[in-house]
Amino acid sequence: MRFKTDLKNIRTFSKLAAALNSLEKIAWIRLDDDTVRFTVIPEVGSQVWASLSADLIFDNYQLQSNEPANTINLELPLAPLQRALRSAINSHNANLRLTKKDGAPMLSMVIHTMTKDSGGPNPAAPHSRPAADDDDNDPFNDPSPFPTEPLELQMKREREKIITQDIPVRVLHPDTVETIMQPKVREPDVHIQLPPLLQLKAISDRFTKLALTTASPSSSSHNNIVTKDPKLELSANMHGSLRLRLRTDTLDITSVWDGLENPELDPSQLAMPLEEHPSTVFREAGRDKWATVRVDGKDWSRVLSVGRLEGRVIACFSDEHALILYVYVPHSSGGVGGGVGGMEDVVTYYVSSFSS
């Protein structure tokens, strides 16, 4: 079994690790010849299934195992991975390999950075000769044609600094992961491109905070549960509108976004004719036909932290049933700039939702 690679787009990789770490501390990583998959399944809350092309974050990718497509399954803690990637952001080279230390499997990240050292101040003082009577006629006795200067020893010198970060992992047997299945949900009633997630997160966090700070101490035990874990109501229609609502005993506030895009579906990817698709039914029903789900305010805030990836996000609503977010991560060169050739990978969030 062998895994070794150089890292690229480290900033994007670091942002993804941070977003996953906000939901759960452990991730399952599945490596094969072409794809890197990250799966996060917390005991309570939203799930993440990220499928990335290996060449988005890896370069000079070497993978070998006895499984089909050289598949390797690893379980690793996300916090050490995030710290290591943060250390590598400004490096000129970083690589990652699967190794063993004291018999325990490790992902070892070796980071090469350049640092500048400065020598201590040690200027050489000009040398002056004592005057001598017999030097009066010496043409070289006059220092003015060749003025002396101090020797500058404070030159900045660059040197390479090598940092090694070890991340403990567990190598999982294929039989262990066979039972881990991606959730299946029905066809969505509404699909809509969300506004910038950091903006949506700021308003959602404000609503959640309001629910917590306005909780009435005389509320019933049921309502106390609601205010300790406030639920936000999310709704969308097929006419470009998204609605965020908070309803408690003392509050009923709403924020609405209009003019959003409802992306066109590709008929070749559908299991039914487009005219029979639920989203077509919702579109024809007009602006007042909303698909609604309810989410835990704190869990929703953690989900929205994926906004740091700065990709477009499509939300798929199954009315009173499920909410799925598709976060599209553009390929970029060196982690800076726009996508290359329009290529994108996707991170899928199955958002934990509740019935009314």
Side-chain angles (χ1 to χ4, degrees):
M1 182 177 294
R2 184 183 183 194
F3 165 56
K4 183 178 181 181
T5 184
D6 293 332
L7 296 179
K8 68 176 185 178
N9 290 327
I10 296 174
R11 193 174 300 275
T12 297
F13 194 1
S14 177
K15 289 178 179 180
L16 174 63
L20 299 179
N21 190 40
S22 67
L23 287 175
E24 181 58 283
K25 303 309 177 186
I26 300 292
W28 161 40
I29 297 183
R30 184 185 183 97
L31 304 164
D32 63 35
D33 287 336
D34 304 309
T35 309
V36 183
R37 294 180 175 88
F38 293 85
T39 303
V40 171
I41 307 177
E43 291 186 11
V44 178
S46 301
Q47 297 185 19
V48 184
W49 294 72
S51 180
L52 309 177
S53 301
D55 60 5
L56 172 66
I57 55 176
F58 295 154
D59 198 14
N60 300 320
Y61 181 47
Q62 301 174 38
L63 189 69
Q64 184 179 0
S65 78
N66 294 326
E67 299 302 320
N70 292 308
T71 300
I72 297 176
N73 292 284
L74 302 174
E75 181 187 86
L76 86 167
L78 287 164
L81 175 64
Q82 183 186 352
R83 284 196 299 269
L85 290 169
R86 196 184 304 131
S87 301
I89 285 177
N90 295 317
S91 66
H92 67 83
N93 177 263
N95 59 70
L96 188 66
R97 65 189 178 97
L98 182 62
T99 184
K100 278 188 176 183
K101 291 199 174 179
D102 299 326
M106 294 275 181
L107 276 179
S108 184
M109 186 181 298
V110 180
I111 304 162
H112 298 258
T113 62
M114 299 302 294
T115 60
K116 289 187 176 182
D117 288 342
S118 58
N122 188 24
H127 176 68
S128 60
R129 291 175 55 190
D133 293 339
D134 57 352
D135 288 340
D136 289 343
N137 296 322
D138 186 353
F140 294 99
N141 190 41
D142 183 5
S144 57
F146 307 101
T148 58
E149 296 181 1
L151 177 63
E152 180 59 67
L153 295 181
Q154 289 185 294
M155 302 285 290
K156 295 287 186 180
R157 298 192 302 270
E158 283 196 344
R159 66 181 181 89
E160 187 176 53
K161 182 179 180 181
I162 300 177
I163 303 169
T164 301
Q165 299 266 16
D166 290 329
I167 305 161
V169 298
R170 283 204 312 143
V171 180
L172 304 178
H173 192 275
D175 293 344
T176 307
V177 297
E178 279 300 313
T179 56
I180 304 177
M181 303 295 290
Q182 195 161 347
K184 291 184 179 181
V185 296
R186 69 180 193 229
E187 288 291 325
D189 299 306
V190 171
H191 48 272
I192 190 168
Q193 182 166 333
L194 294 182
L197 292 200
L198 297 184
Q199 177 193 105
L200 181 56
K201 183 178 188 301
I203 296 175
S204 299
D205 289 349
R206 194 177 310 154
F207 280 18
T208 300
K209 186 176 180 180
L210 279 171
L212 294 170
T213 56
T214 59
S216 171
S218 60
S219 299
S220 66
S221 60
H222 169 73
N223 284 336
N224 276 336
I225 295 173
V226 171
T227 52
K228 286 179 182 177
D229 298 300
K231 304 296 185 290
L232 303 179
E233 185 179 284
L234 281 165
S235 304
N237 62 26
M238 285 299 296
H239 294 268
S241 296
L242 175 73
R243 185 174 67 198
L244 176 67
R245 186 176 187 182
L246 170 66
R247 286 194 290 182
T248 68
D249 289 343
T250 57
L251 285 175
D252 190 347
I253 53 177
T254 301
S255 186
V256 178
W257 288 261
D258 291 316
L260 303 176
E261 181 184 357
N262 298 104
E264 295 293 332
L265 297 178
D266 182 356
S268 66
Q269 302 295 317
L270 300 179
M272 63 186 72
L274 181 59
E275 57 271 14
E276 297 177 11
H277 194 268
S279 63
T280 303
V281 176
F282 268 66
R283 189 191 302 273
E284 293 174 348
R287 291 182 172 276
D288 293 331
K289 183 67 171 175
W290 297 84
T292 300
V293 296
R294 289 156 193 85
V295 297
D296 178 87
K298 295 178 181 178
D299 179 65
W300 177 240
S301 179
R302 291 189 289 268
V303 167
L304 293 178
S305 67
V306 76
R308 69 189 80 195
L309 286 174
E310 300 174 352
R312 63 190 179 99
V313 181
I314 307 299
C316 292
F317 288 75
S318 294
D319 189 34
E320 297 290 352
H321 177 62
L323 174 62
I324 304 174
L325 302 188
Y326 297 98
V327 182
Y328 292 90
V329 183
H331 283 221
S332 58
S333 177
V336 180
V340 176
M343 294 179 64
E344 292 177 311
D345 287 313
V346 66
V347 179
T348 305
Y349 278 76
Y350 293 88
V351 183
S352 181
S353 56
F354 303 85
S355 65
S356 56

